[in-house]
Amino acid sequence: TKGTVEGYMPGFGNDFETEALPGALPQGMNSPQKCNYGLYGEQLSGTAFTAPSHQNERTWCYRIRPSVKHTHRFKKIDLPLWKSAPLIDPDIISLGQYRWDPVEHTGQALTWLTGMRTMVTAGDVNTQTGMASHVYLVTESMKDDYFFSADGELLVVPQEGRLRFCTELGIIDIAPQEIAILPRGLVYRAEVLEGPCRGFVCENYGQKFQLPGRGPIGANCMANRRDFKTPVAAFEDREAPSTVTAKWCGQFHETKIGHSPLDVVAWHGNYCPVKYDLKTYCPVGAILFDHPDPSIFTVLTAPSGIEGTANIDFALFRERWMVAENTFRPPWYHKNVMSELMGNIYGIYDAKPKGFVPGGMSLHNCMLPHGPDQQAFEGASNAKLGPEKLDNTMSFMIETRFPQHLTPFAATAGHLQEDYIDCWGSLEKKFDGTPGVK
């Protein structure tokens, strides 16, 4: 293992290279007649070959064996709690405001594959639109087991414990307050560095995540390209009976191989996994009065075919100063064409000081009203306004233009807070028909 490639965000024309043995990377051409060290050249394409050049994503890999080499045909297996869209259960009502307690560890030995618990799905994996949101519980490393998804990229948001993703293109370690993106088609193995591990996964079926446009904000703040890090170079030359599991159109299949598939000795390109430290996200906001839309907190966006209406937006609500005068500072009451799923990484969320705990989730589907509970409303309405640091808080929102449907696990596994809607029950009528603010 040596070297690292840093300061990179896919989809912006960057092209990077790394090698774990000197001279393994061809210079001046992608596909020489014979590669050094007896390696095989292989291209991993993340876009169609004819995509516009500034959007085209591909990586050339120089590996010990072609990835096509396996000893058995794929056979179907079952991972019963990892679901894909469309999944609409006629006996489950997804119309409503929902909140979940953290999914608890049970003491059961679970890997990255067996520990995935799907909460909601949206769109259609077969037409490459929409998404699914999961909670992962991981207690054990994958050993001679590998995985790739042909369905979409995975945005991983740890909440507890530390994971290592050993990928074809190198090693990424990830901990709470960081995120990682594992591209579609990339083979990897997940290992536990510090467990047990729990976190959230957004599975993106549509166009890949990219940085949002900043518009009048300009060139700085929010998330910066230089803070996205690519893997430390590494490869494995190991002969061992191994299993590769593939997710394809919502189904899982496995095949057997006689070696580690993580045998890429060198690579160059712009299609690879990345990690990002959420503490480097620089929020912007109002500095005089009024409350901007939460879109100013977007870290990543996955576009749809409708300009400005995302397949997925990933937004972050972290520590920040509140300074606006004569302004209601928590999120206001609203209905939205987008469906909003939130997760709490740590601390207290200002609109829900009780009930929305670290590891928990909430869902407010499209055009369903939601907003602060009674305690948050009264506190914000009567607070003496001045510069205030919102501290000890990190939550995120996964927003999509598609309705999000609850899975049977989300609806029946016992984590659903049945009394969630009661948090608005004590809101009082304040209108008395006389002019003036009451």
Side-chain angles (χ1 to χ4, degrees):
T1 299
K2 73 170 196 175
T4 183
V5 182
E6 297 188 349
Y8 165 72
M9 180 64 201
F12 288 85
N14 311 73
D15 205 8
F16 290 87
E17 61 183 39
T18 187
E19 59 184 14
L21 290 176
L25 191 68
Q27 300 296 317
M29 64 170 58
N30 294 325
S31 183
Q33 185 178 17
K34 290 187 177 181
C35 298
N36 285 345
Y37 297 101
L39 299 172
Y40 290 85
E42 180 176 298
Q43 183 175 239
L44 174 62
S45 296
T47 55
F49 296 136
T50 52
S53 60
H54 67 284
Q55 297 176 348
N56 205 303
E57 295 189 22
R58 57 60 183 127
T59 289
W60 275 94
C61 303
Y62 302 93
R63 59 194 316 150
I64 296 172
R65 306 167 191 80
S67 59
V68 70
K69 181 179 173 64
H70 52 95
T71 57
H72 296 79
R73 289 187 178 275
F74 280 97
K75 67 175 183 179
K76 190 175 178 181
I77 63 170
D78 189 26
L79 293 173
L81 296 179
W82 190 337
K83 302 294 187 181
S84 297
L87 180 65
I88 303 175
D89 189 321
D91 296 324
I92 295 175
I93 298 176
S94 298
L95 177 71
Q97 299 91 350
Y98 292 102
R99 189 166 68 189
W100 291 267
D101 291 322
V103 179
E104 297 178 349
H105 297 283
T106 63
Q108 182 182 2
L110 296 170
T111 68
W112 179 252
L113 297 184
T114 60
M116 202 69 69
R117 309 286 186 255
T118 306
M119 302 297 289
V120 297
T121 66
D124 188 342
V125 68
N126 297 285
T127 58
Q128 292 291 286
T129 54
M131 51 156 284
S133 287
H134 320 279
V135 171
Y136 68 81
L137 303 174
V138 181
T139 62
E140 290 195 351
S141 299
M142 298 168 69
K143 297 176 181 177
D144 297 322
D145 288 315
Y146 305 87
F147 174 71
F148 74 92
S149 174
D151 287 347
E153 63 184 350
L154 301 183
L155 172 63
V156 184
V157 187
Q159 190 269 322
E160 180 180 76
R162 297 172 55 237
L163 286 171
R164 168 170 289 172
F165 294 110
C166 301
T167 82
E168 293 179 282
L169 304 182
I171 293 172
I172 285 183
D173 294 347
I174 186 171
Q177 302 182 51
E178 297 177 323
I179 59 174
I181 298 176
L182 303 173
R184 187 177 168 194
L186 181 82
V187 177
Y188 62 90
R189 177 182 71 241
E191 298 180 347
V192 175
L193 296 180
E194 181 182 326
C197 301
R198 179 175 62 200
F200 311 93
V201 173
C202 177
E203 185 176 4
N204 174 21
Y205 306 145
Q207 296 184 51
K208 292 178 296 303
F209 281 113
Q210 62 186 47
L211 293 179
R214 291 188 177 105
I217 295 172
N220 302 293
C221 295
M222 303 175 75
N224 294 305
R225 294 184 182 95
R226 68 184 298 267
D227 295 319
F228 287 81
K229 312 297 184 183
T230 52
V232 174
F235 72 96
E236 298 177 356
D237 183 11
R238 189 173 78 252
E239 305 285 341
S242 302
T243 301
V244 176
T245 300
K247 183 175 187 289
W248 188 85
C249 291
Q251 298 179 342
F252 294 88
H253 304 76
E254 69 175 28
T255 187
K256 302 296 182 180
I257 59 176
H259 59 276
S260 167
L262 310 183
D263 60 359
V264 176
V265 180
W267 64 269
H268 76 88
N270 62 351
Y271 187 68
C272 67
V274 294
K275 66 178 285 185
Y276 175 72
D277 186 344
L278 294 173
K279 297 188 297 295
T280 65
Y281 183 81
C282 180
V284 295
I287 57 173
L288 186 58
F289 63 87
D290 225 336
H291 193 133
D293 293 330
S295 49
I296 60 169
F297 298 119
T298 302
V299 181
L300 296 166
T301 186
S304 71
I306 303 174
E307 184 177 358
T309 305
N311 184 68
I312 307 170
D313 282 330
F314 175 75
L316 179 71
F317 308 104
R318 60 159 303 186
E319 293 88 352
R320 58 198 182 274
W321 280 96
M322 313 283 275
V323 299
E325 61 188 39
N326 192 28
T327 295
F328 186 77
R329 292 179 175 180
W332 17 259
Y333 299 102
H334 64 290
K335 294 191 290 186
N336 189 1
V337 297
M338 305 288 277
S339 299
E340 303 174 6
L341 183 137
M342 290 193 63
N344 189 345
I345 300 172
Y346 69 79
I348 297 173
Y349 181 60
D350 59 335
K352 299 289 192 305
K354 291 185 179 180
F356 186 43
V357 299
M361 305 176 73
S362 68
L363 173 66
H364 303 115
N365 247 318
C366 54
M367 285 306 176
L368 292 178
H370 53 284
D373 60 24
Q374 192 267 344
Q375 179 184 350
F377 176 81
E378 293 296 340
S381 299
N382 297 294
K384 183 178 180 180
L385 296 184
E388 175 190 3
K389 180 71 177 294
L390 193 61
D391 237 332
N392 185 35
T393 184
M394 185 174 283
S395 299
F396 67 89
M397 180 167 67
I398 295 169
E399 190 176 67
T400 177
R401 69 188 183 102
F402 297 100
Q404 301 188 50
H405 294 273
L406 275 64
T407 63
F409 176 84
T412 63
H415 308 96
L416 186 64
Q417 296 180 6
E418 299 289 353
D419 61 350
Y420 175 43
I421 61 171
D422 295 344
C423 75
W424 296 290
S426 57
L427 290 169
E428 301 173 340
K429 175 183 176 181
K430 297 179 180 295
F431 176 75
D432 66 4
T434 60
V437 177
K438 296 292 183 182

